[in-house]
Amino acid sequence: MGEVIIAGIGQVPVGEQWDYSLRTLAARAIQAARKDAGGLKPQALYIGNALASVVLHQSNLGSLLADNSGLEGIESYTIEAAGASGAGAFRMGYLAVASGYVDVAAVVGVEKCTDIVDEELEAAVAETTDYDYEAMQGMTPTAQAALLMQRYMHEYAMPKNVLAELAILAHANAMHNPNAMFHRLVDRAAYEKAAMISSPLNRLDMAAYCDGAAAVIMTRPDLVPPAIKHPLVRVTASSVVSDTLALHDREDPLAFKAAGLSVERACRYAGIMPSDVNLFEVYSAFSIYVILALEAAGFAAQGEGYKLVQEGALALNGRLPVCTMGGEKGRGNPLGATGIYQVVEASLQLRGEAGVNQVKNARRAMVQTLGGAASTAVTQLLERYH
Amino acid sequence: MGEVIIAGIGQVPVGEQWDYSLRTLAARAIQAARKDAGGLKPQALYIGNALASVVLHQSNLGSLLADNSGLEGIESYTIEAAGASGAGAFRMGYLAVASGYVDVAAVVGVEKCTDIVDEELEAAVAETTDYDYEAMQGMTPTAQAALLMQRYMHEYAMPKNVLAELAILAHANAMHNPNAMFHRLVDRAAYEKAAMISSPLNRLDMAAYCDGAAAVIMTRPDLVPPAIKHPLVRVTASSVVSDTLALHDREDPLAFKAAGLSVERACRYAGIMPSDVNLFEVYSAFSIYVILALEAAGFAAQGEGYKLVQEGALALNGRLPVCTMGGEKGRGNPLGATGIYQVVEASLQLRGEAGVNQVKNARRAMVQTLGGAASTAVTQLLERYH
């Protein structure tokens, strides 16, 4: 397998993008990434998207987005894995370039969530659960997270204010991310007052579904245009693992087995230990997922992940910074686009371009994206390229 | 790039499969393919599906189908490109194995079309057109095909009974395919009487949307179990190309540019000429597409593809047999599964297992699958492995 470099990154602001269509959002992100990559022209465009066929009545995005981005005639199609759609598309781009089959691949994650009313959106995202056995009975991703949160607090001694700290951290990090949806601090009092959504999970225990698009350009080291002045990022591993779709089919729902396995396989492939990374862009669609993912990755024993929050380990100056640009909670969660936003943000850190959010000496990053309640887990390992 | 072998194939009968859920159809096809592949265990499952999120309210098929096929814990997600979804998933499996990253990949195409009423299904498949500019105005894939058919007959001297011959050929070939949806001959009289759907396109100018699942197991030559007694098939190229999504954006809508480019690129990669293939599993969702694809591939000049029908070149004993097991027209068109059915059928031919439909001395096959009105075109080249 050849080396794979992220030569360019691009993103549009996350939020309620009612002035832009799906195709325009994607084109803007792709154009920004191509510009950042010194104008490299991709031969392939892999698209991460989860909801367009339900929300926008639009499938077959491959030709739509390639054409609208000035890339007609290239290889293009959509990868879908719920919240991990963008991450799956990244894996596809990685394979295509690493194999030598594609010289330059563009990967775009794009989502429009806010063109329909909340109830319709909740039904759309419920399709990421096992429809026949979960959604059909009224289960939604939020309800799944609430069940996991309740179970976790039942099994272990986590005080609820630990999750408040996670929301506070995410929103603080989003303050200086110009592409984040939210630019306001939250505090303990706000958390206490937050509306209950699905007990015990409140408004600030979950991220907002929103619109956005982010893109990367990947290529081999020898094809990186000399005109590029910014540091490069190397992809050292990309691992996708699936678990059962339905929560009730799992021996231990709190184990997030696929998340653990994907970290294990990615680290083995890259020849590193999880503790070798300088930051962890963890998936924070629900705060409880952060705790469970930290434990699954081995950063803490099961039932003790929350202690990392209490110790301050997850802050920008801690030993394992997470959600460094706000994560899903602070930046917003444009479902199928999220995996690429995470990679773009980790790349900014590795390039030393994260501004006041810069993690010191960031050389290696772990990026993890989950689809469903960790029914699909994707772990990308990135490092600064010399 | 390493060599890629199709070690096993599996399929379930195409039709109205109301007794089986999506997950069961997929599991049956995957299990059949694994059995055919000497029990090889895949590390990855790539899924081709187009409609589940709209028809069944089920997205996130990766974990659902991996788990239900006894493959929990492997890499898995969905590739979507309308009618070419299965073909796109095949491309993914090919890349994964060729790159050396995955030892054994399973690819399944699966679709359930018939769990909803016709009008809803027509709306679902209309999502494969440009929704904002086509479907929103009432355009459907059938209407697109009718426009192309009308334009073709306006531009060129094709008598309409040529298309009757294509339907007759497809249904005759399906007669001896136990997995085909239709087992009845049609004749010129039936064609004349066929209900008009979208003038000038009638019931027999189009394939039926239906349910089905087909799977293949791909691996490297050195990993093929010695217990396998059937001949092996080698994948020599896989090429995906996109055109504009909307028909009105094309300089020449009759050119099927993406289809032509994908043949050109696949043949260049494999080092063969299109005329080197012994059969062509062409995409026959609409009969006019067969004519346009034949021309795009260079088997006939533009405006002359229909003459291949008149000459009898496309019959099983002709110089370029097409739809050898019935094609979409005779076998049925389980949209996202179709690309894998085509590969399975071509493999049967190359293995010499096509029964009375066997094409003599079949050593090389071209398989082409289209998404939308050739907005995505995928060409696979297969050959018998020595």
Side-chain angles (χ1 to χ4, degrees):
Chain A
M1 298 279 285
E3 286 191 321
V4 178
I5 300 296
I6 299 177
I9 56 179
Q11 57 181 325
V12 304
V14 167
E16 293 174 325
Q17 292 277 14
W18 296 337
D19 290 341
Y20 298 99
S21 63
L22 185 87
R23 64 189 84 190
T24 306
L25 289 175
R28 287 174 61 205
I30 293 166
Q31 279 154 13
R34 285 190 61 194
K35 193 177 167 200
D36 189 52
L40 273 181
K41 182 165 191 326
Q43 289 110 46
L45 172 66
Y46 304 111
I47 298 157
N49 176 269
L51 300 178
S53 65
V54 174
V55 171
L56 305 174
H57 307 294
Q58 182 69 70
S59 63
N60 207 2
L61 299 182
S63 49
L64 181 71
L65 301 189
D67 179 30
N68 275 272
S69 306
L71 297 171
E72 184 217 313
I74 70 170
E75 168 173 0
S76 187
Y77 40 90
T78 306
I79 284 82
E80 192 274 323
S85 298
F90 186 89
R91 157 78 171 163
M92 177 79 215
Y94 171 71
L95 272 185
V97 173
S99 69
Y101 208 112
V102 169
D103 291 334
V104 182
V107 183
V108 67
V110 61
E111 201 73 76
K112 284 223 87 177
C113 290
T114 71
D115 283 8
I116 53 178
V117 297
D118 286 356
E119 293 73 16
E120 286 176 340
L121 179 60
E122 194 69 14
V125 296
E127 296 196 356
T128 64
T129 72
D130 187 325
Y131 186 77
D132 293 350
Y133 295 92
E134 294 187 322
M136 184 75 107
Q137 323 302 327
M139 182 71 98
T140 65
T142 306
Q144 284 182 323
L147 286 174
L148 290 171
M149 187 171 157
Q150 182 145 318
R151 184 78 195 164
Y152 191 91
M153 295 197 302
H154 173 78
E155 295 279 346
Y156 307 114
M158 179 178 74
K160 210 186 158 193
N161 67 19
V162 166
L163 298 186
E165 295 304 324
L166 271 180
I168 292 166
L169 177 149
H171 278 273
N173 288 355
M175 282 297 283
H176 301 285
N177 175 0
N179 292 299
M181 183 170 186
F182 300 109
H183 293 115
R184 59 188 162 91
L185 293 173
V186 302
D187 56 16
R188 194 78 60 88
Y191 186 85
E192 298 301 333
K193 281 188 301 191
M196 189 57 66
I197 302 295
S198 179
S199 176
L201 185 151
N202 74 33
R203 203 21 144 178
L204 288 176
D205 291 321
M206 60 182 292
Y209 297 114
C210 49
D211 311 329
V216 296
I217 306 291
M218 289 196 256
T219 190
R220 300 196 308 264
D222 58 300
L223 295 177
V224 173
I228 293 182
K229 295 301 172 219
H230 58 71
L232 299 173
V233 171
R234 189 163 86 95
V235 187
T236 56
S238 176
S239 169
V240 181
V241 178
S242 65
D243 200 341
T244 70
L245 184 51
L247 267 186
H248 57 248
D249 283 335
R250 301 188 195 164
E251 214 172 314
D252 179 2
L254 295 179
F256 272 20
K257 209 164 110 187
L261 272 174
S262 80
V263 168
E264 191 185 311
R265 290 180 193 166
C267 285
R268 196 187 318 137
Y269 190 83
I272 67 166
M273 302 286 290
S275 55
D276 291 335
V277 305
N278 307 114
L279 60 115
F280 182 24
E281 289 300 343
V282 67
Y283 189 67
S284 61
F286 302 100
S287 293
I288 187 66
Y289 285 10
V290 174
I291 307 293
L292 297 177
L294 285 166
E295 296 176 3
F299 291 116
Q302 197 169 339
E304 299 190 355
Y306 68 89
K307 295 180 183 170
L308 292 170
V309 187
Q310 293 175 319
E311 291 163 17
L314 310 181
L316 288 174
N317 60 358
R319 65 185 160 89
L320 186 70
V322 303
C323 305
T324 67
M325 304 301 282
E328 289 60 59
K329 181 75 206 82
R331 176 234 301 128
N333 186 12
L335 208 61
T338 293
I340 306 299
Y341 272 101
Q342 291 176 292
V343 166
V344 165
E345 290 159 2
S347 297
L348 287 173
Q349 290 287 358
L350 297 173
R351 284 159 54 159
E353 297 171 359
V356 298
N357 286 19
Q358 183 65 48
V359 171
K360 288 216 175 61
N361 304 315
R363 298 205 61 83
R364 284 208 189 89
M366 182 185 290
V367 177
Q368 187 176 76
T369 320
L370 304 180
S375 57
T376 308
V378 190
T379 303
Q380 333 279 8
L381 291 176
L382 311 177
E383 64 178 32
R384 187 158 167 163
Y385 187 66
H386 315 280
Chain B
M1 298 279 285
E3 286 191 320
V4 178
I5 300 295
I6 298 177
I9 56 178
Q11 56 181 326
V12 304
V14 167
E16 292 173 327
Q17 293 276 15
W18 295 336
D19 290 340
Y20 297 99
S21 62
L22 184 88
R23 64 188 85 190
T24 306
L25 289 175
R28 288 175 60 204
I30 292 166
Q31 278 154 12
R34 285 190 62 193
K35 192 175 167 201
D36 189 52
L40 273 180
K41 181 163 193 323
Q43 288 109 48
L45 172 66
Y46 304 110
I47 298 158
N49 175 269
L51 300 177
S53 65
V54 175
V55 171
L56 306 175
H57 306 294
Q58 182 68 70
S59 63
N60 207 2
L61 299 182
S63 49
L64 181 71
L65 302 188
D67 179 30
N68 276 272
S69 306
L71 297 171
E72 184 218 312
I74 69 170
E75 168 172 0
S76 186
Y77 40 90
T78 306
I79 284 82
E80 192 275 322
S85 298
F90 185 87
R91 156 78 169 162
M92 178 79 216
Y94 171 70
L95 272 185
V97 173
S99 69
Y101 208 114
V102 169
D103 291 334
V104 182
V107 183
V108 66
V110 60
E111 201 74 77
K112 284 223 87 175
C113 291
T114 72
D115 284 7
I116 52 176
V117 298
D118 286 357
E119 293 73 15
E120 285 176 339
L121 180 60
E122 193 70 14
V125 296
E127 296 196 357
T128 64
T129 72
D130 188 324
Y131 186 77
D132 294 350
Y133 295 93
E134 294 187 322
M136 183 75 107
Q137 325 299 328
M139 181 72 96
T140 65
T142 308
Q144 284 183 323
L147 286 173
L148 289 170
M149 187 172 158
Q150 182 145 317
R151 184 77 196 167
Y152 191 92
M153 295 198 299
H154 173 78
E155 295 278 347
Y156 307 115
M158 179 179 74
K160 209 187 158 192
N161 66 20
V162 166
L163 298 187
E165 295 305 323
L166 271 181
I168 292 166
L169 176 149
H171 278 274
N173 288 355
M175 282 295 284
H176 301 286
N177 175 0
N179 293 299
M181 183 170 187
F182 299 110
H183 293 116
R184 59 190 161 89
L185 294 172
V186 302
D187 57 17
R188 195 79 59 90
Y191 187 85
E192 299 302 331
K193 280 188 302 193
M196 189 57 66
I197 303 294
S198 179
S199 175
L201 184 151
N202 75 34
R203 204 15 141 186
L204 288 175
D205 291 321
M206 62 183 291
Y209 297 114
C210 50
D211 310 328
V216 296
I217 306 290
M218 290 196 255
T219 190
R220 301 196 308 264
D222 58 300
L223 295 177
V224 173
I228 293 182
K229 295 301 172 220
H230 58 72
L232 300 173
V233 171
R234 190 164 84 96
V235 188
T236 56
S238 176
S239 168
V240 181
V241 178
S242 65
D243 199 341
T244 70
L245 184 51
L247 268 185
H248 58 248
D249 282 335
R250 300 188 194 164
E251 214 172 315
D252 178 2
L254 296 177
F256 271 20
K257 209 164 109 187
L261 271 175
S262 79
V263 168
E264 191 184 310
R265 290 180 194 167
C267 285
R268 195 187 318 135
Y269 191 83
I272 67 166
M273 301 285 292
S275 56
D276 291 335
V277 305
N278 306 114
L279 61 115
F280 183 23
E281 290 300 342
V282 67
Y283 189 67
S284 61
F286 301 100
S287 294
I288 188 66
Y289 285 10
V290 174
I291 307 293
L292 297 178
L294 286 166
E295 296 176 2
F299 291 117
Q302 197 170 340
E304 299 190 355
Y306 69 90
K307 293 180 183 170
L308 292 170
V309 188
Q310 292 174 320
E311 290 163 16
L314 309 181
L316 288 174
N317 61 0
R319 66 185 158 89
L320 186 70
V322 303
C323 304
T324 67
M325 304 302 281
E328 289 60 59
K329 181 76 204 83
R331 177 235 300 128
N333 186 13
L335 208 60
T338 293
I340 305 298
Y341 273 101
Q342 291 175 292
V343 166
V344 165
E345 290 159 2
S347 298
L348 287 173
Q349 290 288 357
L350 297 173
R351 285 160 54 158
E353 298 171 358
V356 298
N357 285 20
Q358 183 63 49
V359 171
K360 288 216 175 60
N361 304 316
R363 298 204 61 83
R364 282 205 190 91
M366 183 184 289
V367 177
Q368 188 176 75
T369 319
L370 304 180
S375 57
T376 308
V378 189
T379 302
Q380 332 279 8
L381 291 176
L382 310 177
E383 66 179 31
R384 185 158 169 164
Y385 187 67
H386 317 280

